[in-house]
Amino acid sequence: MAMMPKRVKFRKVQKGRIRGNATRGNYVAFGDYGLQALEPIRLSAEAIEAGRMTASRATKGGGKLFIRVFPHKSVTSIPAETRMGKGKGEVEFWAAVIKPGTILYELAGVTEEQARAAFARVAYKMPVNCRFVTRRPTF
Amino acid sequence: MDGPPGITITSQECPGPPRASRSVMAEAVSISVEPRDPAKNKGTGSRVSRKLRAAGRIPAILYGHKQANIPLSISHEDVWTLVKKGNHLAQLRIGNTTEMALIRNVQWDHLGRDIIHLDFYRVSAHERIKTEVSVVLHGIPEGVAEGGVLDQPVHSITVSCEATAIPASIKVEVGHLQLNQVLHAKDITLPTGVALEVDPDTVLAHIVSKQAVAEPTGTEGAVTQPEIIGRKEKKEEV
């Protein structure tokens, strides 16, 4: 089932704008390989779940998958052919706000070839351009 | 020991062959650096740094040992030579003088493609310092053949050693690890003169059971709403 917060202070929030680049969550922190978003987008919980399932199936349950993003933001919509006004629409889905550079998923315990193959499939499911990344050197 | 949900990991002492760990000492790379022009805003600031990057140079700073900070610039190629070799130590040639320095911090751009700034910390050759060294696991564990997954919770550890004896990485052999076995920091053999500066019980590697792939269930699509914090439930009227 798609992810969503368990508790929120406000059910509906303002739309906002995705500005700038990722200054956090933009490097491989837990696994060995990662999938990095190159464009800003509101990534729906369904898309995150689709990527998770694709990665799990591609690695056949092997390795360890880390999901680095969470859909904290609710997105509302009003039904078609509705007159203007009458307040904000109902929550349609939950989304994660993604800035360029954000790491979406990480994989550990698999070879680079396996990780590349798995993330190529996941990237196909994603609504943004993504790239495969590895850990940065330690200093 | 607690593991991922649904998986019980029993902490065991690792029997079998001694933990072979190898490390290669990184030699200091000699690079030529230029002090920044002090006439332009003391050579510092984002505007100066941006212009340097546009000219193919990377801004850096040298500090430490209670001496004056020196803003520097390094050629792009020299920085990548340093980074690709995994060197912690560098011999900086500034005009006629040479200073030995440790790479203290590396700043990357948002995509992690380019280095945008470097911090160098002055060190003496035989000064004892603390630094982060990456842990590289070698071999395919026996537990993986039994259906386990190799998990590496920690990718680098803090060690203390002489500045000229910093290992480029610590290579740890994990081929003997069985399912549910754990390799701690205290189990590895460090090179002479290198001491561990982290908790000896830090888990470097363990073999966990494979997680079952969660298939979509029939409840998918059922819309549930999160609980609203602070909202009192309406009392039903009698």
Side-chain angles (χ1 to χ4, degrees), chain B residues 69-122:
Chain B
N69 301 346
I70 306 175
L72 306 165
S73 74
I74 314 173
S75 78
H76 202 267
E77 292 75 30
D78 285 346
V79 169
W80 278 105
T81 311
L82 263 180
V83 171
K84 277 181 184 169
K85 284 188 176 176
N87 275 62
H88 288 73
L89 211 57
Q91 290 274 7
L92 305 178
R93 292 196 307 274
I94 313 165
N96 296 327
T97 60
T98 306
E99 295 221 44
M100 188 180 279
L102 187 74
I103 301 174
R104 178 57 74 83
N105 191 22
V106 180
Q107 289 177 31
W108 298 79
D109 70 338
H110 67 285
L111 295 176
R113 280 177 173 155
D114 288 323
I115 292 171
I116 55 175
H117 190 269
L118 284 166
D119 276 23
F120 289 104
Y121 181 74
R122 285 191 191 94

CSV table of all heavy atoms in Angstrom, one decimal, chain B residues 69-122:
chain,number,residue,atom,x,y,z
B,69,ASN,N,45.0,31.9,8.1
B,69,ASN,CA,44.3,31.1,7.0
B,69,ASN,C,44.8,31.6,5.6
B,69,ASN,O,45.0,32.8,5.5
B,69,ASN,CB,42.8,31.4,7.1
B,69,ASN,CG,42.2,30.9,8.4
B,69,ASN,OD1,42.9,30.2,9.1
B,69,ASN,ND2,41.0,31.3,8.7
B,70,ILE,N,45.0,30.7,4.7
B,70,ILE,CA,45.4,31.1,3.3
B,70,ILE,C,44.3,30.7,2.3
B,70,ILE,O,44.2,29.5,2.1
B,70,ILE,CB,46.8,30.5,3.0
B,70,ILE,CG1,47.8,30.9,4.0
B,70,ILE,CG2,47.2,31.0,1.6
B,70,ILE,CD1,49.2,30.2,3.8
B,71,PRO,N,43.6,31.6,1.7
B,71,PRO,CA,42.7,31.2,0.6
B,71,PRO,C,43.5,30.8,-0.6
B,71,PRO,O,44.4,31.5,-1.0
B,71,PRO,CB,41.9,32.5,0.4
B,71,PRO,CG,42.2,33.4,1.5
B,71,PRO,CD,43.5,33.1,2.0
B,72,LEU,N,43.2,29.7,-1.2
B,72,LEU,CA,43.9,29.1,-2.3
B,72,LEU,C,43.0,28.8,-3.5
B,72,LEU,O,41.8,28.9,-3.4
B,72,LEU,CB,44.6,27.8,-1.9
B,72,LEU,CG,45.5,27.8,-0.7
B,72,LEU,CD1,45.7,26.3,-0.2
B,72,LEU,CD2,46.8,28.5,-0.9
B,73,SER,N,43.7,28.5,-4.6
B,73,SER,CA,42.9,27.9,-5.7
B,73,SER,C,43.8,26.8,-6.3
B,73,SER,O,45.0,26.9,-6.4
B,73,SER,CB,42.6,29.0,-6.8
B,73,SER,OG,43.7,29.3,-7.5
B,74,ILE,N,43.1,25.7,-6.7
B,74,ILE,CA,43.8,24.6,-7.3
B,74,ILE,C,43.2,24.2,-8.6
B,74,ILE,O,42.0,24.4,-8.8
B,74,ILE,CB,43.6,23.3,-6.3
B,74,ILE,CG1,43.8,23.7,-4.9
B,74,ILE,CG2,44.5,22.2,-6.7
B,74,ILE,CD1,43.5,22.7,-3.9
B,75,SER,N,44.0,23.7,-9.5
B,75,SER,CA,43.5,23.3,-10.8
B,75,SER,C,42.5,22.1,-10.7
B,75,SER,O,42.7,21.3,-9.8
B,75,SER,CB,44.6,23.0,-11.8
B,75,SER,OG,45.1,21.7,-11.6
B,76,HIS,N,41.5,22.1,-11.5
B,76,HIS,CA,40.5,21.0,-11.5
B,76,HIS,C,41.2,19.6,-11.6
B,76,HIS,O,40.8,18.7,-10.9
B,76,HIS,CB,39.6,21.3,-12.7
B,76,HIS,CG,38.3,20.7,-12.6
B,76,HIS,ND1,38.0,19.4,-13.1
B,76,HIS,CD2,37.1,21.1,-12.0
B,76,HIS,CE1,36.8,19.1,-12.8
B,76,HIS,NE2,36.2,20.1,-12.2
B,77,GLU,N,42.2,19.5,-12.5
B,77,GLU,CA,42.8,18.2,-12.7
B,77,GLU,C,43.5,17.7,-11.5
B,77,GLU,O,43.4,16.5,-11.1
B,77,GLU,CB,43.8,18.3,-13.9
B,77,GLU,CG,43.2,18.6,-15.2
B,77,GLU,CD,42.7,20.0,-15.4
B,77,GLU,OE1,43.3,20.9,-14.8
B,77,GLU,OE2,41.7,20.2,-16.2
B,78,ASP,N,44.2,18.6,-10.8
B,78,ASP,CA,44.9,18.2,-9.6
B,78,ASP,C,44.0,17.7,-8.5
B,78,ASP,O,44.3,16.8,-7.8
B,78,ASP,CB,45.7,19.4,-9.0
B,78,ASP,CG,47.0,19.7,-9.9
B,78,ASP,OD1,47.3,18.8,-10.7
B,78,ASP,OD2,47.6,20.8,-9.7
B,79,VAL,N,42.8,18.4,-8.4
B,79,VAL,CA,41.9,18.0,-7.4
B,79,VAL,C,41.3,16.6,-7.7
B,79,VAL,O,41.2,15.7,-6.8
B,79,VAL,CB,40.7,19.0,-7.3
B,79,VAL,CG1,39.6,18.5,-6.4
B,79,VAL,CG2,41.2,20.3,-6.7
B,80,TRP,N,41.0,16.3,-8.9
B,80,TRP,CA,40.5,15.0,-9.3
B,80,TRP,C,41.6,13.9,-9.1
B,80,TRP,O,41.3,12.8,-8.8
B,80,TRP,CB,39.9,15.0,-10.7
B,80,TRP,CG,38.6,15.5,-10.7
B,80,TRP,CD1,38.1,16.8,-11.1
B,80,TRP,CD2,37.4,14.9,-10.1
B,80,TRP,NE1,36.8,16.9,-10.8
B,80,TRP,CE2,36.3,15.8,-10.2
B,80,TRP,CE3,37.2,13.7,-9.5
B,80,TRP,CZ2,35.0,15.5,-9.8
B,80,TRP,CZ3,35.9,13.4,-9.0
B,80,TRP,CH2,34.8,14.3,-9.2
B,81,THR,N,42.8,14.3,-9.3
B,81,THR,CA,43.9,13.3,-9.0
B,81,THR,C,43.9,12.9,-7.6
B,81,THR,O,44.0,11.8,-7.2
B,81,THR,CB,45.3,14.0,-9.4
B,81,THR,OG1,45.2,14.5,-10.7
B,81,THR,CG2,46.4,12.9,-9.4
B,82,LEU,N,43.8,14.0,-6.7
B,82,LEU,CA,43.7,13.7,-5.3
B,82,LEU,C,42.5,12.8,-4.9
B,82,LEU,O,42.7,11.9,-4.2
B,82,LEU,CB,43.5,15.0,-4.5
B,82,LEU,CG,44.7,15.8,-4.0
B,82,LEU,CD1,44.3,17.1,-3.3
B,82,LEU,CD2,45.5,14.9,-3.0
B,83,VAL,N,41.4,13.2,-5.4
B,83,VAL,CA,40.1,12.5,-5.0
B,83,VAL,C,40.1,11.0,-5.6
B,83,VAL,O,39.8,10.1,-4.9
B,83,VAL,CB,38.9,13.3,-5.5
B,83,VAL,CG1,37.6,12.5,-5.3
B,83,VAL,CG2,38.8,14.6,-4.8
B,84,LYS,N,40.6,10.9,-6.8
B,84,LYS,CA,40.5,9.5,-7.4
B,84,LYS,C,41.5,8.6,-6.7
B,84,LYS,O,41.2,7.4,-6.5
B,84,LYS,CB,40.9,9.6,-8.9
B,84,LYS,CG,39.7,9.9,-9.8
B,84,LYS,CD,40.1,10.0,-11.2
B,84,LYS,CE,39.0,10.4,-12.1
B,84,LYS,NZ,39.4,10.7,-13.4
B,85,LYS,N,42.6,9.1,-6.2
B,85,LYS,CA,43.6,8.3,-5.5
B,85,LYS,C,43.1,8.0,-4.0
B,85,LYS,O,43.7,7.2,-3.3
B,85,LYS,CB,44.9,8.9,-5.4
B,85,LYS,CG,45.7,8.8,-6.7
B,85,LYS,CD,47.1,9.3,-6.6
B,85,LYS,CE,47.9,9.1,-7.9
B,85,LYS,NZ,49.2,9.7,-7.8
B,86,GLY,N,42.1,8.7,-3.6
B,86,GLY,CA,41.6,8.5,-2.2
B,86,GLY,C,42.6,9.1,-1.2
B,86,GLY,O,42.6,8.6,-0.1
B,87,ASN,N,43.4,10.0,-1.6
B,87,ASN,CA,44.4,10.5,-0.7
B,87,ASN,C,43.8,11.4,0.4
B,87,ASN,O,43.0,12.3,0.1
B,87,ASN,CB,45.5,11.3,-1.5
B,87,ASN,CG,46.5,10.4,-2.1
B,87,ASN,OD1,46.2,9.6,-2.9
B,87,ASN,ND2,47.7,10.6,-1.6
B,88,HIS,N,44.3,11.2,1.6
B,88,HIS,CA,43.9,12.1,2.7
B,88,HIS,C,44.9,13.3,2.8
B,88,HIS,O,44.6,14.4,3.3
B,88,HIS,CB,43.8,11.4,4.0
B,88,HIS,CG,42.7,10.5,4.1
B,88,HIS,ND1,42.6,9.3,3.4
B,88,HIS,CD2,41.5,10.6,4.8
B,88,HIS,CE1,41.5,8.7,3.7
B,88,HIS,NE2,40.8,9.4,4.5
B,89,LEU,N,46.1,13.0,2.4
B,89,LEU,CA,47.2,13.9,2.6
B,89,LEU,C,47.7,14.5,1.3
B,89,LEU,O,47.8,13.8,0.3
B,89,LEU,CB,48.4,13.1,3.3
B,89,LEU,CG,49.3,13.8,4.3
B,89,LEU,CD1,48.5,14.4,5.4
B,89,LEU,CD2,50.3,12.9,4.8
B,90,ALA,N,48.1,15.8,1.4
B,90,ALA,CA,48.6,16.5,0.2
B,90,ALA,C,49.8,17.4,0.6
B,90,ALA,O,49.8,17.9,1.7
B,90,ALA,CB,47.5,17.3,-0.4
B,91,GLN,N,50.8,17.4,-0.3
B,91,GLN,CA,51.9,18.4,-0.1
B,91,GLN,C,51.5,19.6,-1.0
B,91,GLN,O,51.5,19.5,-2.2
B,91,GLN,CB,53.2,17.8,-0.6
B,91,GLN,CG,53.7,16.7,0.2
B,91,GLN,CD,54.6,17.2,1.4
B,91,GLN,OE1,54.7,18.4,1.6
B,91,GLN,NE2,55.2,16.3,2.1
B,92,LEU,N,51.2,20.7,-0.4
B,92,LEU,CA,50.8,21.9,-1.1
B,92,LEU,C,52.0,22.8,-1.4
B,92,LEU,O,52.7,23.2,-0.5
B,92,LEU,CB,49.8,22.7,-0.4
B,92,LEU,CG,48.5,21.9,0.0
B,92,LEU,CD1,47.6,22.8,0.8
B,92,LEU,CD2,47.8,21.3,-1.1
B,93,ARG,N,52.3,23.0,-2.7
B,93,ARG,CA,53.4,23.9,-3.1
B,93,ARG,C,52.8,25.3,-3.3
B,93,ARG,O,52.1,25.5,-4.3
B,93,ARG,CB,54.1,23.4,-4.4
B,93,ARG,CG,54.8,22.1,-4.2
B,93,ARG,CD,55.8,21.8,-5.3
B,93,ARG,NE,55.1,21.9,-6.6
B,93,ARG,CZ,54.5,20.9,-7.2
B,93,ARG,NH1,54.5,19.7,-6.6
B,93,ARG,NH2,53.9,21.1,-8.4
B,94,ILE,N,53.1,26.2,-2.4
B,94,ILE,CA,52.6,27.5,-2.5
B,94,ILE,C,53.8,28.4,-2.7
B,94,ILE,O,54.5,28.7,-1.8
B,94,ILE,CB,51.8,28.0,-1.2
B,94,ILE,CG1,50.8,26.9,-0.7
B,94,ILE,CG2,51.1,29.3,-1.4
B,94,ILE,CD1,50.3,27.1,0.7
B,95,GLY,N,54.0,28.8,-4.0
B,95,GLY,CA,55.2,29.6,-4.3
B,95,GLY,C,56.4,28.8,-4.0
B,95,GLY,O,56.6,27.7,-4.6
B,96,ASN,N,57.3,29.3,-3.1
B,96,ASN,CA,58.5,28.6,-2.8
B,96,ASN,C,58.4,27.7,-1.6
B,96,ASN,O,59.3,26.9,-1.3
B,96,ASN,CB,59.7,29.6,-2.5
B,96,ASN,CG,60.0,30.4,-3.8
B,96,ASN,OD1,59.9,29.9,-4.9
B,96,ASN,ND2,60.3,31.7,-3.6
B,97,THR,N,57.3,27.8,-0.9
B,97,THR,CA,57.1,27.0,0.3
B,97,THR,C,56.3,25.8,0.1
B,97,THR,O,55.5,25.7,-0.9
B,97,THR,CB,56.5,27.8,1.4
B,97,THR,OG1,55.2,28.3,1.0
B,97,THR,CG2,57.3,29.0,1.8
B,98,THR,N,56.4,24.8,0.9
B,98,THR,CA,55.6,23.5,0.8
B,98,THR,C,55.0,23.3,2.2
B,98,THR,O,55.7,23.4,3.2
B,98,THR,CB,56.5,22.4,0.4
B,98,THR,OG1,57.2,22.7,-0.8
B,98,THR,CG2,55.7,21.1,0.2
B,99,GLU,N,53.7,23.0,2.2
B,99,GLU,CA,53.0,22.7,3.4
B,99,GLU,C,52.3,21.4,3.3
B,99,GLU,O,51.7,21.1,2.3
B,99,GLU,CB,52.0,23.8,3.7
B,99,GLU,CG,52.6,25.2,4.0
B,99,GLU,CD,51.9,25.9,5.1
B,99,GLU,OE1,51.7,25.3,6.1
B,99,GLU,OE2,51.7,27.1,4.9
B,100,MET,N,52.4,20.6,4.4
B,100,MET,CA,51.7,19.3,4.4
B,100,MET,C,50.3,19.5,5.0
B,100,MET,O,50.2,20.2,6.0
B,100,MET,CB,52.5,18.3,5.2
B,100,MET,CG,51.9,16.9,5.1
B,100,MET,SD,52.8,15.7,6.0
B,100,MET,CE,54.1,15.3,4.9
B,101,ALA,N,49.3,19.1,4.3
B,101,ALA,CA,48.0,19.3,4.7
B,101,ALA,C,47.1,18.1,4.6
B,101,ALA,O,47.3,17.3,3.7
B,101,ALA,CB,47.4,20.5,4.0
B,102,LEU,N,46.1,18.0,5.4
B,102,LEU,CA,45.1,17.0,5.4
B,102,LEU,C,43.8,17.5,4.8
B,102,LEU,O,43.4,18.6,5.0
B,102,LEU,CB,44.8,16.5,6.9
B,102,LEU,CG,43.9,15.3,7.1
B,102,LEU,CD1,44.7,14.1,6.8
B,102,LEU,CD2,43.5,15.3,8.6
B,103,ILE,N,43.2,16.7,3.9
B,103,ILE,CA,41.9,17.1,3.3
B,103,ILE,C,40.9,17.0,4.4
B,103,ILE,O,40.6,15.9,4.8
B,103,ILE,CB,41.6,16.3,2.1
B,103,ILE,CG1,42.6,16.5,1.0
B,103,ILE,CG2,40.2,16.8,1.5
B,103,ILE,CD1,42.4,15.6,-0.2
B,104,ARG,N,40.4,18.1,4.9
B,104,ARG,CA,39.5,18.1,6.1
B,104,ARG,C,38.0,18.0,5.6
B,104,ARG,O,37.2,17.3,6.2
B,104,ARG,CB,39.7,19.3,6.9
B,104,ARG,CG,38.8,19.5,8.1
B,104,ARG,CD,38.9,18.3,9.1
B,104,ARG,NE,40.0,18.2,9.9
B,104,ARG,CZ,40.3,18.9,11.0
B,104,ARG,NH1,39.4,19.8,11.5
B,104,ARG,NH2,41.4,18.6,11.7
B,105,ASN,N,37.7,18.7,4.5
B,105,ASN,CA,36.3,18.7,4.0
B,105,ASN,C,36.3,18.9,2.5
B,105,ASN,O,37.1,19.6,2.0
B,105,ASN,CB,35.5,19.8,4.7
B,105,ASN,CG,34.1,19.7,4.5
B,105,ASN,OD1,33.5,18.7,4.1
B,105,ASN,ND2,33.4,20.8,4.6
B,106,VAL,N,35.4,18.2,1.9
B,106,VAL,CA,35.2,18.4,0.4
B,106,VAL,C,33.7,18.8,0.2
B,106,VAL,O,32.8,18.1,0.7
B,106,VAL,CB,35.5,17.1,-0.3
B,106,VAL,CG1,35.3,17.2,-1.8
B,106,VAL,CG2,36.9,16.6,-0.1
B,107,GLN,N,33.5,19.9,-0.5
B,107,GLN,CA,32.2,20.3,-0.8
B,107,GLN,C,31.9,19.9,-2.3
B,107,GLN,O,32.7,20.3,-3.2
B,107,GLN,CB,32.0,21.8,-0.6
B,107,GLN,CG,32.0,22.2,0.8
B,107,GLN,CD,31.9,23.7,1.0
B,107,GLN,OE1,31.3,24.4,0.2
B,107,GLN,NE2,32.5,24.2,2.0
B,108,TRP,N,30.7,19.3,-2.5
B,108,TRP,CA,30.3,18.9,-3.9
B,108,TRP,C,29.1,19.8,-4.3
B,108,TRP,O,28.4,20.3,-3.5
B,108,TRP,CB,29.9,17.4,-3.8
B,108,TRP,CG,30.9,16.5,-3.5
B,108,TRP,CD1,31.4,16.2,-2.2
B,108,TRP,CD2,31.7,15.7,-4.3
B,108,TRP,NE1,32.4,15.3,-2.2
B,108,TRP,CE2,32.6,14.9,-3.5
B,108,TRP,CE3,31.8,15.5,-5.7
B,108,TRP,CZ2,33.5,14.0,-4.0
B,108,TRP,CZ3,32.7,14.6,-6.2
B,108,TRP,CH2,33.6,13.9,-5.4
B,109,ASP,N,28.9,19.8,-5.6
B,109,ASP,CA,27.7,20.4,-6.1
B,109,ASP,C,26.5,19.6,-5.8
B,109,ASP,O,26.6,18.5,-5.3
B,109,ASP,CB,27.8,20.8,-7.6
B,109,ASP,CG,27.7,19.5,-8.4
B,109,ASP,OD1,28.0,18.4,-7.9
B,109,ASP,OD2,27.4,19.6,-9.6
B,110,HIS,N,25.3,20.1,-6.1
B,110,HIS,CA,24.1,19.4,-5.6
B,110,HIS,C,23.9,18.0,-6.2
B,110,HIS,O,23.2,17.1,-5.7
B,110,HIS,CB,22.8,20.2,-5.9
B,110,HIS,CG,22.5,20.4,-7.3
B,110,HIS,ND1,23.2,21.3,-8.1
B,110,HIS,CD2,21.6,19.9,-8.1
B,110,HIS,CE1,22.8,21.2,-9.3
B,110,HIS,NE2,21.7,20.4,-9.4
B,111,LEU,N,24.5,17.8,-7.4
B,111,LEU,CA,24.4,16.5,-8.1
B,111,LEU,C,25.6,15.5,-7.7
B,111,LEU,O,25.6,14.4,-8.1
B,111,LEU,CB,24.3,16.6,-9.6
B,111,LEU,CG,23.0,17.3,-10.1
B,111,LEU,CD1,23.1,17.5,-11.6
B,111,LEU,CD2,21.8,16.6,-9.7
B,112,GLY,N,26.6,16.1,-7.0
B,112,GLY,CA,27.7,15.2,-6.7
B,112,GLY,C,28.6,15.0,-7.8
B,112,GLY,O,29.4,14.0,-7.9
B,113,ARG,N,28.6,15.9,-8.9
B,113,ARG,CA,29.4,15.7,-10.0
B,113,ARG,C,30.7,16.4,-9.9
B,113,ARG,O,31.8,15.9,-10.3
B,113,ARG,CB,28.7,16.2,-11.3
B,113,ARG,CG,27.6,15.2,-11.8
B,113,ARG,CD,26.9,15.8,-13.0
B,113,ARG,NE,26.1,14.8,-13.6
B,113,ARG,CZ,25.0,15.2,-14.3
B,113,ARG,NH1,24.7,16.4,-14.5
B,113,ARG,NH2,24.2,14.2,-14.9
B,114,ASP,N,30.7,17.6,-9.4
B,114,ASP,CA,31.9,18.5,-9.3
B,114,ASP,C,32.2,18.8,-7.9
B,114,ASP,O,31.3,19.0,-7.1
B,114,ASP,CB,31.6,19.7,-10.1
B,114,ASP,CG,31.7,19.5,-11.6
B,114,ASP,OD1,32.5,18.6,-12.0
B,114,ASP,OD2,30.9,20.1,-12.3
B,115,ILE,N,33.5,19.0,-7.7
B,115,ILE,CA,33.9,19.5,-6.3
B,115,ILE,C,33.9,21.0,-6.4
B,115,ILE,O,34.4,21.6,-7.4
B,115,ILE,CB,35.3,19.0,-6.0
B,115,ILE,CG1,35.2,17.5,-5.8
B,115,ILE,CG2,35.9,19.7,-4.8
B,115,ILE,CD1,36.5,16.8,-5.6
B,116,ILE,N,33.3,21.7,-5.4
B,116,ILE,CA,33.2,23.2,-5.5
B,116,ILE,C,34.1,23.8,-4.5
B,116,ILE,O,34.4,25.0,-4.6
B,116,ILE,CB,31.8,23.7,-5.4
B,116,ILE,CG1,31.1,23.1,-4.1
B,116,ILE,CG2,31.0,23.3,-6.6
B,116,ILE,CD1,29.7,23.7,-3.9
B,117,HIS,N,34.6,23.1,-3.5
B,117,HIS,CA,35.5,23.7,-2.5
B,117,HIS,C,36.2,22.7,-1.7
B,117,HIS,O,35.7,21.6,-1.5
B,117,HIS,CB,34.7,24.6,-1.5
B,117,HIS,CG,35.6,25.5,-0.7
B,117,HIS,ND1,36.0,25.1,0.6
B,117,HIS,CD2,36.1,26.7,-0.8
B,117,HIS,CE1,36.8,26.0,1.1
B,117,HIS,NE2,36.9,27.0,0.3
B,118,LEU,N,37.4,23.0,-1.2
B,118,LEU,CA,38.2,22.0,-0.4
B,118,LEU,C,38.7,22.7,0.8
B,118,LEU,O,39.1,23.9,0.8
B,118,LEU,CB,39.4,21.5,-1.2
B,118,LEU,CG,39.2,20.5,-2.3
B,118,LEU,CD1,40.5,20.4,-3.1
B,118,LEU,CD2,38.9,19.1,-1.7
B,119,ASP,N,38.8,22.0,1.9
B,119,ASP,CA,39.4,22.5,3.2
B,119,ASP,C,40.6,21.7,3.4
B,119,ASP,O,40.6,20.5,3.4
B,119,ASP,CB,38.4,22.3,4.4
B,119,ASP,CG,37.4,23.4,4.5
B,119,ASP,OD1,37.1,24.0,3.5
B,119,ASP,OD2,36.9,23.5,5.6
B,120,PHE,N,41.7,22.4,3.6
B,120,PHE,CA,43.0,21.7,4.0
B,120,PHE,C,43.4,22.1,5.4
B,120,PHE,O,43.3,23.3,5.8
B,120,PHE,CB,44.1,22.1,3.0
B,120,PHE,CG,44.0,21.6,1.6
B,120,PHE,CD1,43.6,22.4,0.6
B,120,PHE,CD2,44.3,20.3,1.4
B,120,PHE,CE1,43.4,21.9,-0.7
B,120,PHE,CE2,44.2,19.8,0.1
B,120,PHE,CZ,43.7,20.6,-0.9
B,121,TYR,N,43.8,21.1,6.2
B,121,TYR,CA,44.2,21.4,7.6
B,121,TYR,C,45.7,21.1,7.7
B,121,TYR,O,46.2,20.0,7.3
B,121,TYR,CB,43.4,20.5,8.5
B,121,TYR,CG,43.7,20.6,9.9
B,121,TYR,CD1,43.2,21.7,10.6
B,121,TYR,CD2,44.4,19.7,10.6
B,121,TYR,CE1,43.5,21.9,12.0
B,121,TYR,CE2,44.6,19.8,12.0
B,121,TYR,CZ,44.2,20.9,12.6
B,121,TYR,OH,44.5,21.1,14.0
B,122,ARG,N,46.5,22.1,8.2
B,122,ARG,CA,47.9,21.9,8.3
B,122,ARG,C,48.2,20.8,9.3
B,122,ARG,O,47.7,20.7,10.4
B,122,ARG,CB,48.6,23.2,8.8
B,122,ARG,CG,48.6,24.3,7.8
B,122,ARG,CD,49.5,25.4,8.4
B,122,ARG,NE,49.4,26.6,7.5
B,122,ARG,CZ,48.5,27.6,7.7
B,122,ARG,NH1,47.7,27.5,8.8
B,122,ARG,NH2,48.5,28.6,6.9
